[in-house]
Amino acid sequence: MYTIALMLHVLGATVWTGGHLVLSFCILPVALRERSPTYIRNFEQRFEKIGIPALVIQIGTGLYMAFQLQPDISQWFGFDNLVSQTLTLKLSFLAATALLAVDARLRIIPNLTERNLTSLAWHVIPVTVISVLFVLVGVSFRTGGFA
Ligand code: HEM
């Protein structure tokens, strides 16, 4: 069961992190250069159909694996050992992603124009950087940490 969760977790990561890298490096630069939000809107409308389920899978499989690795939730927070270090970082990344995504979804995307495109960029870029950090921290767990 753990192996299945890990496989789903890696697949979900390819969608979430891969999708945000495409958005940041292939879509956002053109939208900013041409001051046209249409590129972003077209991408978002299509990506979210697979992006949101992928994020749900990441959270579900991530929490499942966390419970298998450390059933005592009070031990999930802190940097005493590799498991709590990994989970503290992952849950912090998740909180930051949720804050940025909800703000973009509720405040910026409904009124997206060429005027607030830069403000959206200041949400897309950090979410992309965090999505890569999710992968680095996840893989570093399997390889024994950054030390
Ligand atoms: C979009 C969000 C996420 C992405 C892109 C992501 C990505 C990854 C990747 C690529 C790995 C390495 C898998 C491997 O070594 O084969 C990993 C491992 C892991 N992730 Fe995530 N992750 C995300 C969210 C989460 C969340 C929310 C949690 C838990 C609260 C979590 C918990 C874990 C754990 C415990 C491992 C280690 C599994 C193991 O090697 O046994 N992840 N993650």
Side-chain angles (χ1 to χ4, degrees):
M1 185 62 187
Y2 192 93
T3 307
I4 294 170
L6 187 57
M7 287 175 178
L8 288 173
H9 201 72
V10 172
L11 267 177
T14 61
V15 172
W16 182 261
T17 305
H20 281 87
L21 287 169
V22 169
L23 175 58
S24 285
F25 285 96
C26 308
I27 312 287
L28 190 60
V30 185
L32 290 171
R33 200 172 46 245
E34 298 183 14
R35 301 309 299 166
S36 166
T38 313
Y39 291 98
I40 306 268
R41 223 178 267 119
N42 288 346
F43 179 86
E44 282 280 346
Q45 278 162 5
R46 289 167 179 76
F47 175 63
E48 71 182 12
K49 290 192 177 60
I50 192 175
I52 302 299
L55 186 61
V56 171
I57 288 171
Q58 291 314 92
I59 298 168
T61 55
L63 291 175
Y64 169 80
M65 293 188 292
F67 263 115
Q68 300 306 306
L69 293 165
Q70 177 47 269
D72 179 357
I73 294 184
S74 69
Q75 299 298 316
W76 286 12
F77 307 95
F79 293 86
D80 306 350
N81 58 69
L82 187 56
V83 172
S84 56
Q85 176 188 320
T86 302
L87 299 181
T88 301
L89 289 172
K90 288 270 183 174
L91 292 170
S92 310
F93 296 157
L94 188 62
T97 299
L99 286 176
L100 287 161
V102 168
D103 184 49
R105 168 66 48 214
L106 298 183
R107 193 172 60 82
I108 302 174
I109 291 173
N111 333 299
L112 189 59
T113 66
E114 69 276 6
R115 276 194 307 283
N116 60 1
L117 208 45
T118 309
S119 172
L120 182 68
W122 283 117
H123 287 67
V124 168
I125 295 165
V127 168
T128 305
V129 170
I130 295 168
S131 75
V132 172
L133 290 173
F134 264 124
V135 172
L136 299 181
V137 168
V139 173
S140 79
F141 174 79
R142 192 137 282 262
T143 56
F146 289 109

